[in-house]
Short mmCIF file of all heavy atoms in Angstrom, two decimals:
data_model
loop_
_atom_site.label_atom_id
_atom_site.label_comp_id
_atom_site.label_asym_id
_atom_site.label_seq_id
_atom_site.Cartn_x
_atom_site.Cartn_y
_atom_site.Cartn_z
N GLU A 110 -21.52 -37.18 -91.66
CA GLU A 110 -21.96 -37.52 -93.02
C GLU A 110 -23.45 -37.84 -92.96
O GLU A 110 -23.85 -38.85 -92.39
CB GLU A 110 -21.15 -38.69 -93.55
CG GLU A 110 -19.68 -38.31 -93.68
CD GLU A 110 -18.79 -39.44 -94.17
OE1 GLU A 110 -19.19 -40.62 -94.05
OE2 GLU A 110 -17.70 -39.12 -94.67
N GLU A 111 -24.23 -36.96 -93.55
CA GLU A 111 -25.69 -37.08 -93.38
C GLU A 111 -26.26 -38.34 -94.00
O GLU A 111 -27.18 -38.94 -93.45
CB GLU A 111 -26.38 -35.83 -93.93
CG GLU A 111 -26.10 -34.63 -93.04
CD GLU A 111 -26.93 -33.42 -93.39
OE1 GLU A 111 -28.16 -33.48 -93.25
OE2 GLU A 111 -26.33 -32.42 -93.80
N ALA A 112 -25.72 -38.76 -95.14
CA ALA A 112 -26.30 -39.91 -95.83
C ALA A 112 -26.24 -41.16 -94.96
O ALA A 112 -27.17 -41.98 -94.97
CB ALA A 112 -25.55 -40.14 -97.15
N THR A 113 -25.16 -41.32 -94.22
CA THR A 113 -24.99 -42.53 -93.41
C THR A 113 -25.24 -42.28 -91.93
O THR A 113 -25.24 -43.21 -91.12
CB THR A 113 -23.55 -43.07 -93.56
OG1 THR A 113 -22.66 -42.00 -93.21
CG2 THR A 113 -23.26 -43.53 -94.98
N ALA A 114 -25.39 -41.01 -91.56
CA ALA A 114 -25.51 -40.60 -90.15
C ALA A 114 -24.32 -41.11 -89.34
O ALA A 114 -24.47 -41.64 -88.24
CB ALA A 114 -26.84 -41.07 -89.55
N ARG A 115 -23.14 -40.94 -89.91
CA ARG A 115 -21.92 -41.34 -89.20
C ARG A 115 -20.93 -40.19 -89.18
O ARG A 115 -20.95 -39.33 -90.06
CB ARG A 115 -21.26 -42.53 -89.89
CG ARG A 115 -22.05 -43.77 -89.72
CD ARG A 115 -21.33 -45.00 -90.25
NE ARG A 115 -22.35 -46.03 -90.45
CZ ARG A 115 -22.99 -46.65 -89.48
NH1 ARG A 115 -22.73 -46.37 -88.23
NH2 ARG A 115 -23.91 -47.56 -89.75
N TRP A 116 -20.07 -40.25 -88.19
CA TRP A 116 -18.99 -39.27 -88.10
C TRP A 116 -17.74 -39.85 -88.77
O TRP A 116 -17.39 -41.00 -88.54
CB TRP A 116 -18.68 -38.94 -86.63
CG TRP A 116 -19.72 -38.01 -86.07
CD1 TRP A 116 -20.88 -38.35 -85.44
CD2 TRP A 116 -19.70 -36.59 -86.13
NE1 TRP A 116 -21.58 -37.22 -85.10
CE2 TRP A 116 -20.87 -36.13 -85.50
CE3 TRP A 116 -18.80 -35.65 -86.64
CZ2 TRP A 116 -21.18 -34.76 -85.38
CZ3 TRP A 116 -19.10 -34.29 -86.51
CH2 TRP A 116 -20.28 -33.86 -85.90
N ALA A 117 -17.13 -39.02 -89.61
CA ALA A 117 -15.85 -39.41 -90.21
C ALA A 117 -14.76 -38.59 -89.53
O ALA A 117 -14.82 -37.36 -89.51
CB ALA A 117 -15.87 -39.12 -91.71
N VAL A 118 -13.84 -39.30 -88.92
CA VAL A 118 -12.82 -38.64 -88.10
C VAL A 118 -11.46 -38.85 -88.75
O VAL A 118 -11.11 -39.97 -89.14
CB VAL A 118 -12.85 -39.24 -86.67
CG1 VAL A 118 -11.71 -38.71 -85.83
CG2 VAL A 118 -14.19 -38.93 -86.00
N GLU A 119 -10.69 -37.77 -88.88
CA GLU A 119 -9.35 -37.89 -89.46
C GLU A 119 -8.31 -37.40 -88.47
O GLU A 119 -8.59 -36.53 -87.63
CB GLU A 119 -9.27 -37.09 -90.76
CG GLU A 119 -10.13 -37.73 -91.84
CD GLU A 119 -9.98 -37.09 -93.21
OE1 GLU A 119 -9.29 -36.05 -93.33
OE2 GLU A 119 -10.58 -37.63 -94.16
N THR A 120 -7.11 -37.95 -88.62
CA THR A 120 -6.04 -37.59 -87.68
C THR A 120 -4.80 -37.10 -88.43
O THR A 120 -4.68 -37.29 -89.64
CB THR A 120 -5.62 -38.79 -86.81
OG1 THR A 120 -4.81 -39.65 -87.61
CG2 THR A 120 -6.82 -39.56 -86.27
N ASP A 121 -3.88 -36.53 -87.65
CA ASP A 121 -2.63 -36.06 -88.25
C ASP A 121 -1.72 -37.21 -88.66
O ASP A 121 -0.68 -37.00 -89.29
CB ASP A 121 -1.90 -35.10 -87.29
CG ASP A 121 -1.48 -35.77 -85.98
OD1 ASP A 121 -1.86 -36.94 -85.75
OD2 ASP A 121 -0.78 -35.12 -85.20
N GLN A 122 -2.07 -38.44 -88.30
CA GLN A 122 -1.28 -39.60 -88.71
C GLN A 122 -1.89 -40.29 -89.94
O GLN A 122 -1.46 -41.37 -90.32
CB GLN A 122 -1.21 -40.62 -87.55
CG GLN A 122 -0.56 -40.07 -86.31
CD GLN A 122 0.86 -39.58 -86.56
OE1 GLN A 122 1.68 -40.30 -87.13
NE2 GLN A 122 1.13 -38.33 -86.19
N GLY A 123 -2.91 -39.66 -90.49
CA GLY A 123 -3.52 -40.20 -91.70
C GLY A 123 -4.61 -41.24 -91.43
O GLY A 123 -5.10 -41.86 -92.38
N ASP A 124 -5.00 -41.43 -90.17
CA ASP A 124 -6.10 -42.38 -89.90
C ASP A 124 -7.40 -41.75 -90.39
O ASP A 124 -7.56 -40.53 -90.38
CB ASP A 124 -6.31 -42.62 -88.40
CG ASP A 124 -5.06 -42.99 -87.67
OD1 ASP A 124 -4.17 -42.12 -87.54
OD2 ASP A 124 -4.97 -44.12 -87.21
N ARG A 125 -8.31 -42.64 -90.77
CA ARG A 125 -9.67 -42.20 -91.06
C ARG A 125 -10.59 -43.25 -90.47
O ARG A 125 -10.49 -44.43 -90.84
CB ARG A 125 -9.89 -42.08 -92.57
CG ARG A 125 -11.22 -41.45 -92.91
CD ARG A 125 -11.36 -41.13 -94.39
NE ARG A 125 -12.49 -40.22 -94.61
CZ ARG A 125 -13.76 -40.60 -94.63
NH1 ARG A 125 -14.07 -41.88 -94.46
NH2 ARG A 125 -14.73 -39.72 -94.83
N ALA A 126 -11.41 -42.84 -89.52
CA ALA A 126 -12.32 -43.81 -88.88
C ALA A 126 -13.73 -43.26 -88.98
O ALA A 126 -13.93 -42.03 -88.96
CB ALA A 126 -11.95 -43.98 -87.42
N THR A 127 -14.69 -44.15 -89.11
CA THR A 127 -16.08 -43.69 -89.06
C THR A 127 -16.76 -44.31 -87.85
O THR A 127 -16.39 -45.41 -87.41
CB THR A 127 -16.88 -44.06 -90.33
OG1 THR A 127 -16.82 -45.47 -90.48
CG2 THR A 127 -16.31 -43.37 -91.56
N ALA A 128 -17.71 -43.58 -87.32
CA ALA A 128 -18.37 -44.05 -86.10
C ALA A 128 -19.75 -43.42 -85.99
O ALA A 128 -19.98 -42.31 -86.48
CB ALA A 128 -17.54 -43.67 -84.88
N ARG A 129 -20.63 -44.13 -85.32
CA ARG A 129 -21.98 -43.61 -85.07
C ARG A 129 -21.91 -42.39 -84.12
O ARG A 129 -22.56 -41.40 -84.34
CB ARG A 129 -22.79 -44.74 -84.44
CG ARG A 129 -24.14 -44.36 -83.93
CD ARG A 129 -25.19 -44.19 -85.01
NE ARG A 129 -25.50 -45.42 -85.73
CZ ARG A 129 -26.15 -45.43 -86.90
NH1 ARG A 129 -26.52 -44.29 -87.48
NH2 ARG A 129 -26.41 -46.57 -87.50
N PHE A 130 -21.07 -42.52 -83.11
CA PHE A 130 -20.97 -41.44 -82.11
C PHE A 130 -19.55 -40.88 -82.08
O PHE A 130 -18.58 -41.63 -82.23
CB PHE A 130 -21.32 -41.96 -80.71
CG PHE A 130 -22.71 -42.53 -80.64
CD1 PHE A 130 -22.91 -43.90 -80.70
CD2 PHE A 130 -23.81 -41.69 -80.55
CE1 PHE A 130 -24.20 -44.43 -80.67
CE2 PHE A 130 -25.10 -42.20 -80.50
CZ PHE A 130 -25.30 -43.58 -80.57
N CYS A 131 -19.48 -39.57 -81.87
CA CYS A 131 -18.17 -38.94 -81.73
C CYS A 131 -18.17 -38.24 -80.37
O CYS A 131 -19.04 -37.40 -80.10
CB CYS A 131 -17.97 -37.95 -82.87
SG CYS A 131 -16.37 -37.15 -82.80
N ILE A 132 -17.24 -38.61 -79.53
CA ILE A 132 -17.27 -38.12 -78.15
C ILE A 132 -15.98 -37.36 -77.85
O ILE A 132 -14.88 -37.91 -77.93
CB ILE A 132 -17.46 -39.29 -77.16
CG1 ILE A 132 -18.74 -40.06 -77.53
CG2 ILE A 132 -17.54 -38.76 -75.72
CD1 ILE A 132 -18.97 -41.34 -76.77
N MET A 133 -16.16 -36.08 -77.55
CA MET A 133 -15.01 -35.21 -77.32
C MET A 133 -14.65 -35.24 -75.83
O MET A 133 -15.39 -34.72 -74.99
CB MET A 133 -15.35 -33.78 -77.74
CG MET A 133 -15.61 -33.65 -79.22
SD MET A 133 -14.09 -34.06 -80.13
CE MET A 133 -14.68 -33.97 -81.82
N ALA A 134 -13.52 -35.86 -75.54
CA ALA A 134 -13.00 -35.90 -74.17
C ALA A 134 -11.69 -35.12 -74.18
O ALA A 134 -10.65 -35.59 -73.74
CB ALA A 134 -12.79 -37.35 -73.74
N THR A 135 -11.79 -33.91 -74.73
CA THR A 135 -10.59 -33.15 -75.10
C THR A 135 -10.06 -32.28 -73.96
O THR A 135 -9.03 -31.62 -74.13
CB THR A 135 -10.90 -32.28 -76.33
OG1 THR A 135 -12.22 -31.73 -76.19
CG2 THR A 135 -10.87 -33.08 -77.60
N GLY A 136 -10.78 -32.23 -72.83
CA GLY A 136 -10.28 -31.46 -71.69
C GLY A 136 -10.62 -29.99 -71.81
O GLY A 136 -10.77 -29.44 -72.90
N CYS A 137 -10.73 -29.35 -70.65
CA CYS A 137 -11.12 -27.94 -70.62
C CYS A 137 -9.91 -27.02 -70.62
O CYS A 137 -10.00 -25.85 -70.95
CB CYS A 137 -11.94 -27.65 -69.37
SG CYS A 137 -13.48 -28.55 -69.36
N LEU A 138 -8.78 -27.56 -70.19
CA LEU A 138 -7.57 -26.73 -70.04
C LEU A 138 -6.42 -27.50 -70.68
O LEU A 138 -5.50 -27.96 -70.01
CB LEU A 138 -7.30 -26.45 -68.56
CG LEU A 138 -8.37 -25.58 -67.88
CD1 LEU A 138 -8.42 -25.80 -66.38
CD2 LEU A 138 -8.13 -24.10 -68.20
N SER A 139 -6.52 -27.67 -72.01
CA SER A 139 -5.53 -28.50 -72.68
C SER A 139 -4.87 -27.80 -73.85
O SER A 139 -3.93 -28.33 -74.43
CB SER A 139 -6.19 -29.80 -73.15
OG SER A 139 -7.38 -29.52 -73.85
N ASP A 140 -5.37 -26.61 -74.20
CA ASP A 140 -4.79 -25.91 -75.36
C ASP A 140 -3.88 -24.79 -74.83
O ASP A 140 -4.30 -23.66 -74.61
CB ASP A 140 -5.95 -25.37 -76.21
CG ASP A 140 -5.45 -24.69 -77.46
OD1 ASP A 140 -4.30 -24.95 -77.88
OD2 ASP A 140 -6.20 -23.87 -78.03
N ALA A 141 -2.62 -25.15 -74.58
CA ALA A 141 -1.67 -24.23 -73.93
C ALA A 141 -1.43 -22.99 -74.79
O ALA A 141 -1.35 -23.08 -76.02
CB ALA A 141 -0.35 -24.96 -73.69
N GLN A 142 -1.33 -21.85 -74.12
CA GLN A 142 -1.20 -20.58 -74.84
C GLN A 142 0.12 -19.87 -74.51
O GLN A 142 0.44 -19.66 -73.34
CB GLN A 142 -2.34 -19.64 -74.45
CG GLN A 142 -3.69 -20.11 -74.93
CD GLN A 142 -3.80 -20.10 -76.44
OE1 GLN A 142 -3.58 -19.07 -77.08
NE2 GLN A 142 -4.14 -21.24 -77.03
N ILE A 143 0.82 -19.49 -75.54
CA ILE A 143 2.00 -18.63 -75.39
C ILE A 143 1.58 -17.26 -75.92
O ILE A 143 1.14 -17.16 -77.06
CB ILE A 143 3.17 -19.14 -76.27
CG1 ILE A 143 3.53 -20.58 -75.95
CG2 ILE A 143 4.38 -18.21 -76.16
CD1 ILE A 143 4.36 -20.79 -74.74
N PRO A 144 1.69 -16.20 -75.11
CA PRO A 144 1.27 -14.90 -75.62
C PRO A 144 2.16 -14.45 -76.79
O PRO A 144 3.31 -14.86 -76.89
CB PRO A 144 1.42 -13.95 -74.43
CG PRO A 144 2.21 -14.68 -73.41
CD PRO A 144 2.18 -16.14 -73.73
N ASP A 145 1.57 -13.64 -77.61
CA ASP A 145 2.28 -13.19 -78.80
C ASP A 145 3.22 -12.04 -78.40
O ASP A 145 2.85 -10.88 -78.47
CB ASP A 145 1.21 -12.70 -79.80
CG ASP A 145 1.82 -12.40 -81.14
OD1 ASP A 145 2.98 -12.81 -81.36
OD2 ASP A 145 1.15 -11.74 -81.95
N LEU A 146 4.41 -12.40 -77.93
CA LEU A 146 5.35 -11.38 -77.46
C LEU A 146 6.45 -11.19 -78.51
O LEU A 146 6.96 -12.18 -79.05
CB LEU A 146 5.98 -11.81 -76.12
CG LEU A 146 5.02 -11.90 -74.93
CD1 LEU A 146 5.70 -12.56 -73.74
CD2 LEU A 146 4.52 -10.51 -74.55
N LYS A 147 6.77 -9.94 -78.74
CA LYS A 147 7.80 -9.63 -79.73
C LYS A 147 9.13 -10.24 -79.29
O LYS A 147 9.49 -10.16 -78.12
CB LYS A 147 7.92 -8.10 -79.81
CG LYS A 147 8.51 -7.58 -81.10
CD LYS A 147 8.32 -6.09 -81.23
CE LYS A 147 9.24 -5.34 -80.28
NZ LYS A 147 9.02 -3.91 -80.23
N GLY A 148 9.83 -10.86 -80.20
CA GLY A 148 11.22 -11.25 -79.95
C GLY A 148 11.46 -12.62 -79.36
O GLY A 148 12.61 -12.99 -79.13
N LEU A 149 10.39 -13.41 -79.14
CA LEU A 149 10.61 -14.73 -78.52
C LEU A 149 11.59 -15.58 -79.36
O LEU A 149 12.41 -16.32 -78.82
CB LEU A 149 9.28 -15.45 -78.30
CG LEU A 149 9.36 -16.82 -77.63
CD1 LEU A 149 10.06 -16.74 -76.28
CD2 LEU A 149 7.97 -17.44 -77.44
N ASP A 150 11.50 -15.42 -80.68
CA ASP A 150 12.40 -16.18 -81.58
C ASP A 150 13.87 -15.88 -81.29
O ASP A 150 14.74 -16.72 -81.54
CB ASP A 150 12.19 -15.78 -83.05
CG ASP A 150 10.81 -16.08 -83.51
OD1 ASP A 150 10.09 -16.75 -82.74
OD2 ASP A 150 10.45 -15.65 -84.62
N SER A 151 14.12 -14.67 -80.80
CA SER A 151 15.52 -14.27 -80.64
C SER A 151 16.09 -14.73 -79.29
O SER A 151 17.29 -14.61 -79.05
CB SER A 151 15.64 -12.75 -80.74
OG SER A 151 15.04 -12.17 -79.58
N PHE A 152 15.24 -15.26 -78.42
CA PHE A 152 15.69 -15.62 -77.06
C PHE A 152 16.76 -16.73 -77.13
O PHE A 152 16.51 -17.78 -77.72
CB PHE A 152 14.50 -16.06 -76.20
CG PHE A 152 14.85 -16.38 -74.79
CD1 PHE A 152 15.47 -15.44 -73.97
CD2 PHE A 152 14.59 -17.64 -74.25
CE1 PHE A 152 15.81 -15.73 -72.65
CE2 PHE A 152 14.92 -17.95 -72.94
CZ PHE A 152 15.53 -16.99 -72.14
N ALA A 153 17.90 -16.48 -76.52
CA ALA A 153 19.01 -17.43 -76.66
C ALA A 153 18.90 -18.59 -75.66
O ALA A 153 19.53 -19.63 -75.84
CB ALA A 153 20.34 -16.69 -76.46
N GLY A 154 18.11 -18.39 -74.59
CA GLY A 154 18.00 -19.45 -73.58
C GLY A 154 16.93 -20.46 -73.94
O GLY A 154 16.47 -20.53 -75.08
N LYS A 155 16.53 -21.24 -72.93
CA LYS A 155 15.49 -22.25 -73.17
C LYS A 155 14.17 -21.71 -72.62
O LYS A 155 14.17 -21.02 -71.60
CB LYS A 155 15.83 -23.54 -72.44
CG LYS A 155 17.03 -24.21 -73.03
CD LYS A 155 17.05 -25.65 -72.58
CE LYS A 155 18.20 -26.38 -73.24
NZ LYS A 155 18.99 -27.11 -72.28
#
Side-chain angles (χ1 to χ4, degrees):
E110 296 179 339
E111 290 190 64
T113 55
R115 289 187 199 291
W116 283 91
V118 173
E119 292 187 354
T120 77
D121 63 353
Q122 299 302 309
D124 309 68
R125 188 171 195 282
T127 58
R129 172 77 65 196
F130 301 100
C131 182
I132 304 172
M133 295 296 175
T135 40
C137 296
L138 294 156
S139 50
D140 183 20
Q142 292 295 304
I143 304 281
D145 188 14
L146 294 170
K147 203 168 72 186
L149 182 57
D150 298 352
S151 70
F152 183 58
K155 292 198 176 130

